[in-house]
Amino acid sequence: MASAPTSAGVTYDHATGRVKELAYDANGNGRVDTWTEMDGSRPLRSSVDINEDGKIDRWEEYDENGGLAKVGFSRTNNGKPDAWVFSGADGKVRRIEISSTGDSRRIDRWEYYDAAQSGPDGRGALVRAEEDTTHDGRPDKWETYEHGILKTVAFDENGNGRPTRRLIYSSSARVVIESDPDASGRL
């Protein structure tokens, strides 16, 4: 939201009479910290200043049914989203997209989670990740995890879109380094 109202309230569209925005105090301390853009009774997106420092640090976008589609947050606390969390129908995290540059339009890391596996935090476990370390729009680093623990990391060192080197881990300790793939691309 462009400007943060100082008091809680509802803004209506004067032409249609429909709810346009809700501003409210989510933590109950007397200060507005959440602004939700509405289309009548359906939420479109919310902006939240969780720590009340005057900068938005959580963004929520809703689907056409008003369900939560994704949540953005600022890892650098600069008022701009640099990571987005996507959940499944059960509400559990399925994917996180991260921008190392702080530009939410330039995602360069994708993490995938399996709700059926338990991770270290009791939530779904990280099962794989892809990363674009050269910022050319294509993944060139691939990680696999087992119950949230790193199992392999593969690198594309020549830019052809396939791994040329792979590190294999056991109990988080590197045990094998493979390189120079054969004609089929296998290491």
Side-chain angles (χ1 to χ4, degrees):
M1 309 301 162
S3 61
T6 56
S7 62
V10 179
T11 304
Y12 295 94
D13 182 312
H14 295 298
T16 66
R18 296 170 59 89
V19 175
K20 186 175 173 180
E21 182 181 72
L22 298 174
Y24 57 97
D25 173 14
N27 64 11
N29 71 352
R31 296 176 59 185
V32 172
D33 53 22
T34 305
W35 300 267
T36 302
E37 185 180 337
M38 304 288 291
D39 180 15
S41 61
R42 184 172 63 92
L44 301 174
R45 61 193 60 82
S46 292
S47 300
V48 184
D49 180 5
I50 295 170
N51 60 6
E52 296 181 339
D53 65 352
K55 294 184 280 193
I56 301 301
D57 37 35
R58 180 181 170 104
W59 297 259
E60 298 174 355
E61 293 191 9
Y62 302 92
D63 63 22
E64 59 279 347
N65 298 319
L68 188 60
K70 66 181 183 176
V71 175
F73 53 96
S74 176
R75 296 173 310 127
T76 58
N77 198 30
N78 67 357
K80 298 177 184 175
D82 55 22
W84 291 93
V85 177
F86 298 82
S87 299
D90 59 2
K92 294 185 179 179
V93 173
R94 294 292 191 265
R95 184 176 81 243
I96 299 177
E97 297 181 353
I98 301 167
S99 170
S100 65
T101 64
D103 181 349
S104 66
R105 296 169 308 219
R106 298 187 71 196
I107 300 299
D108 54 16
R109 182 171 172 86
W110 302 264
E111 297 180 349
Y112 299 89
Y113 294 79
D114 182 354
Q117 293 184 31
S118 180
D121 59 3
R123 299 181 187 168
L126 176 61
V127 292
R128 69 183 175 94
E130 299 175 353
E131 194 167 339
D132 175 11
T133 64
T134 60
H135 304 287
D136 65 357
R138 298 181 335 176
D140 51 42
K141 179 181 173 188
W142 301 268
E143 302 168 358
T144 62
Y145 295 80
E146 196 169 90
H147 301 289
I149 299 170
L150 184 63
K151 190 72 174 167
T152 66
V153 180
F155 303 92
D156 173 7
E157 297 173 319
N158 63 13
N160 70 358
R162 294 185 305 185
T164 54
R165 183 176 307 272
R166 180 171 50 208
L167 309 176
I168 300 173
Y169 294 82
S170 177
S171 301
S172 297
R174 187 181 70 231
V175 294
V176 176
I177 299 174
E178 300 175 320
S179 60
D180 298 322
D182 62 20
S184 69
R186 287 180 294 183
L187 295 170

